[in-house]
């Protein structure tokens, strides 16, 4: 059914957003190139990209609402409905899933009592699965408002969301200190992070990401032999040895029943053609 026009922002909100939007638009020779940061800007106002926000972007950039909607619905970083103060994203792509991402996501759904893209009743946490956090060296990875929490387990991830809900201070594995989702959206719109020490805390690549560079420079790394499951490695440096309780396998971390390994379940059609 046709929808009524999106309601307008209150006058003072519109004036503030319009001033910020013009500052963003001035950075681009073609104003329509400012659409992505402007969507982050309106998201910083309401915590999601509303129809009102998309209408404002369209008006300021001389676009149709259909063009703005096409972009807002394409990128998953733009929320389409109200979200929590903390966006908790669990990577369930191949490597993270094998290392335990599926188990983490299932545990958090059960613990929080929400499904994918749903928010807890107190409005504190929105849970979603993410296809890739671009941090495979630290799998399984959880992100909170786009800050990294590396090498997670179901237990550590559960403690993480409990701390967020309780308002306790949570420190990312690397990157800037956490801020609210709305504050994160404003930073992504291109406005400086004014918090003392936040920019300096962002740091660089983590040690696991730099192993290849160290090898290229000729540095010696501690030898590590990966043994079959159930057997210990022949040579491991102390820091490379698995710690008690560090194993957190997911349902994907095991040989699956296939035609090659399971003759009772052959591949191929279940019936002849036409049956």
């Amino acid at each position: 059914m046709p929808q009524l026009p999106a309601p307008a922002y209150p006058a003072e909100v519109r004036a503030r957003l319009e001033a910020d939007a013009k500052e963003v638009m001035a950075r681009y020779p073609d104003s329509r190139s400012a659409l992505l940061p402007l969507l982050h800007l309106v998201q910083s106002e309401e915590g999601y990209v509303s129809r009102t926000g998309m209408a404002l972007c369209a008006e300021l950039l001389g676009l149709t609402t259909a063009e703005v909607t096409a972009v807002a619905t394409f990128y998953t970083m733009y929320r389409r409905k109200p979200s929590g103060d903390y966006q908790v994203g669990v990577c369930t792509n191949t490597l993270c899933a094998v290392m335990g991402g599926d188990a983490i996501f299932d545990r958090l759904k059960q613990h929080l009592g929400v499904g994918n893209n749903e928010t807890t009743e107190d409005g504190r946490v929105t849970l979603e699965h993410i296809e890739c956090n671009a941090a495979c060296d630290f799998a399984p990875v959880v992100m909170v408002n786009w800050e990294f929490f590396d090498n997670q387990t179901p237990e550590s991830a559960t403690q993480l969301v409990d701390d967020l809900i309780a308002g306790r201070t949570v420190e990312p594995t690397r990157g800037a200190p956490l801020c609210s989702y709305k504050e994160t959206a404003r930073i992504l719109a291109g406005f400086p992070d004014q918090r003392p020490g936040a920019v300096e805390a962002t740091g660089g690549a983590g040690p696991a990401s730099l192993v290849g560079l160290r090898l290229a420079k000729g540095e010696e790394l501690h030898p590590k032999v990966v043994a079959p499951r159930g057997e210990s490695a022949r040579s491991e440096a102390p820091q490379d040895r698995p710690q008690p309780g560090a194993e957190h396998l997911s349902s994907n971390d095991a040989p699956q029943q296939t035609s090659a390994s399971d003759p009772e379940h052959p591949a191929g059609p279940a019936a002849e053609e036409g049956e």
Side-chain angles (χ1 to χ4, degrees):
M1 296 294 294
Q3 291 182 307
L4 294 174
Y9 283 120
E12 66 277 7
V13 174
R14 180 189 169 92
R16 173 166 44 79
L17 289 176
E18 190 170 343
D20 287 340
K22 289 180 178 179
E23 180 180 338
V24 172
M25 293 163 60
R27 304 170 189 163
Y28 299 90
D30 185 347
S31 62
R32 69 181 296 152
S33 299
L35 177 56
L36 295 180
L38 286 195
L39 287 171
H40 283 298
L41 176 63
V42 296
Q43 185 160 251
S44 72
E45 183 63 32
E46 301 178 81
Y48 73 110
V49 178
S50 65
R51 293 173 56 234
T52 301
M54 287 189 285
L56 178 63
C57 291
E59 177 185 341
L60 294 177
L61 297 175
L63 302 173
T64 66
T65 54
E67 289 174 312
V68 175
T69 302
V71 174
T73 56
F74 181 83
Y75 294 103
T76 58
M77 290 180 75
Y78 300 123
R79 311 300 302 164
R80 296 302 311 282
K81 60 182 180 180
S83 297
D85 297 327
Y86 297 100
Q87 187 81 22
V88 176
V90 182
C91 183
T92 56
N93 212 333
T94 305
L95 184 56
C96 278
V98 168
M99 297 297 290
D102 283 343
I104 292 173
F105 189 57
D106 289 342
R107 174 75 67 85
L108 292 183
K109 285 193 295 183
Q110 180 181 14
H111 182 71
L112 296 172
V114 298
N116 185 43
N117 284 326
E118 293 182 354
T119 303
T120 54
E121 291 184 0
D122 59 7
R124 295 287 284 170
V125 170
T126 297
L127 179 67
E128 70 170 337
H129 80 83
I130 297 178
E131 285 302 318
C132 185
N133 279 328
C136 303
D137 297 341
F138 303 93
V141 173
V142 173
M143 294 193 86
V144 179
N145 294 350
W146 311 117
E147 298 294 349
F148 288 103
F149 290 81
D150 303 323
N151 302 310
Q152 292 294 294
T153 66
E155 293 72 26
S156 66
T158 301
Q159 184 63 55
L160 170 61
V161 295
D162 283 346
D163 289 342
L164 292 173
I165 291 172
R168 291 187 284 267
T169 300
V170 173
E171 296 291 340
T173 307
R174 49 203 166 93
L178 284 183
C179 56
S180 72
Y181 189 65
K182 291 182 179 180
E183 292 170 324
T184 300
R186 183 170 177 82
I187 294 170
L188 290 174
F191 293 93
D193 190 342
Q194 302 289 356
R195 296 174 297 159
V199 175
E200 292 76 12
T202 55
S209 301
L210 299 176
V211 171
L213 178 61
R214 292 172 59 194
L215 289 172
K217 290 182 176 180
E219 299 180 20
E220 292 187 7
L221 304 179
H222 293 292
K224 180 177 180 180
V225 178
V226 179
R229 186 178 300 167
E231 300 179 14
S232 60
R234 294 187 296 275
S235 175
E236 286 183 334
Q239 63 269 29
D240 292 331
R241 293 172 187 158
Q243 300 299 314
E247 189 176 23
H248 43 89
L249 305 176
S250 74
S251 59
N252 291 335
D253 190 21
Q256 301 297 306
Q257 292 183 342
T258 63
S259 58
S261 63
D262 187 10
E264 295 182 0
H265 297 80
E272 295 295 332
E273 184 176 355
E275 294 186 8

